[in-house]
Amino acid sequence: MSALSTAAPATAKRGSATWRLTKAEIKLCVREKTGPLWGVGFPLVLLIILGNVPVLREPVEAGGGLTYFDLYVPVIILFNLAILALTALPTILAGYRENGVLRRMRTTPIGPARVLAAQLVANLAIALVAVTLFLAVARLGFGVRLPQNLAGFAVGWLLAAAALLSIGLMITALAPGRGPATAIGTVLFFPMMFFAGLWVPISQMPPLMQSVSHYTPLGAGMQAFQEAAFEGHFPSAQPLLTLAGYAVICSVVAVRWFRWE
């Protein structure tokens, strides 16, 4: 009985410490400005600009009434996740390592899993605000229909966010400093966005590149978004399993090889 009574306060104390750490990370992410400015502000401005381009408001041939702008809304949502995961998150955590913040945390019972989880939750909260804002602006400002299958879209978004943020955590864990972490994230960002259809819609890519796209994090995310938003059914297993695989593998690598200094 005494053991149980001792374990309960200890568990509650650890939970409280984790929550305080998460709140602090959210404040620091907002103060850092990389996530809010480039991850939310820039995509929002881009969304508004694209929405005011007349040619993008014309229906796509064989698109079932969809316009090019309709197709770009999911790409903008993935753009937000990619910026947060590959730029904002590695920059902040690698900066902690360079400044000795992580070394001081090492002397506490926090552990790498909680440090990474706090950053994951902080960036996920920013991404949630962003996706809500993007969908609201697209709907109210430009008449874009909300996803036909909201539950499927939400599941696809959560898995895409988990996959990309896990990749960002892995980059941070393996990169020796802020400079290398930022460089690796930038190098990964452009090909990932290409396979998401930022420059060329996935449907217009050669068959081989389409197949490759479906097994990349952003390509799989785009496939899940399109199935839920435009086709109206729950995303198929392939993109969801691909995203879940990236999330699990990269998270395990990030925790296993996390470096405090």
Side-chain angles (χ1 to χ4, degrees), residues 13-25:
K13 187 175 181 179
R14 286 196 296 269
S16 176
T18 302
W19 172 237
R20 289 198 299 270
L21 176 63
T22 301
K23 288 196 297 183
E25 290 299 331

Side-chain angles (χ1 to χ4, degrees), residues 16 23 54 94 109 126 128 191 195 235 239 241:
S16 176
K23 288 196 297 183
I126 295 174
L128 182 59
F195 284 116
L241 289 175

Side-chain angles (χ1 to χ4, degrees), residues 8 21 75 155 202:
L21 176 63
V75 177
V155 170
I202 296 175

Side-chain angles (χ1 to χ4, degrees), residues 46-138:
L46 183 61
L47 181 73
I48 294 171
I49 291 173
L50 292 176
N52 284 284
V53 176
V55 69
L56 297 181
R57 305 301 301 280
E58 297 176 1
V60 180
E61 185 177 353
L66 295 173
T67 67
Y68 283 104
F69 181 67
D70 293 330
L71 298 175
Y72 265 111
V73 172
V75 177
I76 294 295
I77 292 172
L78 290 172
F79 186 97
N80 158 256
L81 292 175
I83 285 287
L84 291 176
L86 303 178
T87 302
L89 188 152
T91 299
I92 292 174
L93 271 179
Y96 286 176
R97 182 183 292 124
E98 286 187 352
N99 296 331
V101 174
L102 295 183
R103 185 172 62 251
R104 291 192 291 273
M105 283 184 175
R106 191 178 186 180
T107 62
T108 71
I110 292 175
R114 289 184 190 171
V115 174
L116 298 180
Q119 267 293 320
L120 190 69
V121 172
N123 283 278
L124 193 61
I126 295 174
L128 182 59
V129 171
V131 68
T132 304
L133 182 61
F134 296 160
L135 290 176
V137 170

Side-chain angles (χ1 to χ4, degrees), residues 115-185:
V115 174
L116 298 180
Q119 267 293 320
L120 190 69
V121 172
N123 283 278
L124 193 61
I126 295 174
L128 182 59
V129 171
V131 68
T132 304
L133 182 61
F134 296 160
L135 290 176
V137 170
R139 174 59 183 163
L140 299 176
F142 304 102
V144 175
R145 290 179 298 178
L146 291 176
Q148 297 181 39
N149 191 315
L150 278 173
F153 188 87
V155 170
W157 180 84
L158 283 171
L159 285 175
L164 286 163
L165 290 171
S166 296
I167 292 172
L169 293 177
M170 183 180 68
I171 293 171
T172 305
L174 299 178
R178 182 187 298 221
T182 302
I184 294 171

